[in-house]
Amino acid sequence: MAYGIVLALVFGYLLGSIPFGLVITRAAGLGDVRNIGSGNIGATNVLRTGNKGLAAATLLLDALKGTAAVLIAGRFAPELGPWAGLGAFFGHLFPVWLGFKGGKGVATYLGVLIALAWQVALIFALVWLAVAFLFRYSSLAALTAAVVVPIALYALSTPQIAGLFALMSLIVIIKHRANIARLLAGTEGKIGARE
C-alpha cells in the first residue's frame, strides 16, 4: 500500500506540474506570463494579458489535471485517488520544470475537489463567484471558498477528505499571504485589471 501511495503521489505530481498557463500564453505569442502582473502562471494572471479565452483555458486545464490525477489513480485503487490529487496540487505549486515556482493551486484544488466531492465543488464555485462578484478580488474569493470547503466536507460526513482539504486550504492561504497583505493595505489588484 505504501508503494502505491508513493506512486500515486509521484504520478499526480508530474501531471500537476504541467504549467498550462505558461505553455498556453507562449503558444499564443504572448511571451512569458511570469513577466506580467503577479508573475504567477495561473488563470488570474493569464487574464492580465487581456485574453479571457486563454485565461479560461488555463483555468480549465489546471483544474482538469487535478481531476484526472484522482480519477486515473482511482482506477487502480480507489484509496489512491486522494493521494494522486494531493500530488497534483503540490505539482502545480512546485513544478520541477520551473525551479519549483508554480501557481497558487486554486484551480487544481478545485479539480481535485470535483473528483472527490463534486457537490462541495459546487459550493466552492458558488462561494467564489459570489465573493468575486461582490468585491472583484480573485484572491479574496479563493481564500473564502478555501475556508468554506473543509467545513462543508466535514458537515457532509467525509472526515478523511475534509482533513485532506483542510491541509490544502491551509497551503492555499499561505500561498496567498502576499495577497492578504495587499487586501489589508487596499492595494490588491481587482479582477480584469491589468498590472
Side-chain angles (χ1 to χ4, degrees):
M1 180 60 185
Y3 183 66
I5 290 172
V6 170
L7 284 178
L9 282 167
V10 171
F11 165 71
Y13 174 84
L14 292 174
L15 186 58
S17 67
I18 301 171
F20 284 116
L22 179 62
V23 172
I24 288 173
T25 50
R26 279 188 171 168
L30 297 176
D32 193 330
V33 71
R34 295 171 296 177
N35 293 329
I36 66 165
S38 65
N40 199 272
I41 61 169
T44 300
N45 203 44
V46 173
L47 185 60
R48 294 188 177 105
T49 66
N51 192 314
K52 293 179 181 178
L54 293 183
T58 301
L59 177 66
L60 178 63
L61 290 169
D62 281 347
L64 281 176
K65 61 189 183 185
T67 305
V70 173
L71 296 181
I72 293 169
R75 295 274 300 200
F76 293 94
E79 64 272 15
L80 295 180
W83 291 105
L86 182 63
F89 178 69
F90 277 108
H92 182 78
L93 296 175
F94 309 107
V96 64
W97 334 109
L98 303 180
F100 302 102
K101 296 178 182 178
K104 294 178 181 173
V106 177
T108 307
Y109 174 108
L110 178 58
V112 174
L113 186 59
I114 288 168
L116 293 174
W118 65 266
Q119 302 95 328
V120 180
L122 288 178
I123 294 171
F124 177 102
L126 289 172
V127 171
W128 193 99
L129 289 169
V131 174
F133 178 78
L134 289 172
F135 300 102
R136 305 291 296 168
Y137 292 114
S138 175
S139 57
L140 182 61
L143 289 164
T144 306
V147 169
V148 169
V149 163
I151 298 167
L153 285 167
Y154 190 80
L156 293 173
S157 302
T158 52
Q160 297 85 0
I161 302 300
L164 172 69
F165 278 91
L167 170 64
M168 291 169 65
S169 291
L170 177 62
I171 294 167
V172 165
I173 291 167
I174 292 169
K175 291 290 286 184
H176 280 81
R177 59 192 181 278
N179 301 85
I180 294 169
R182 289 194 297 268
L183 284 166
L184 293 173
T187 57
E188 178 74 325
K190 294 196 172 186
I191 293 171
R194 295 195 185 201
E195 294 181 11

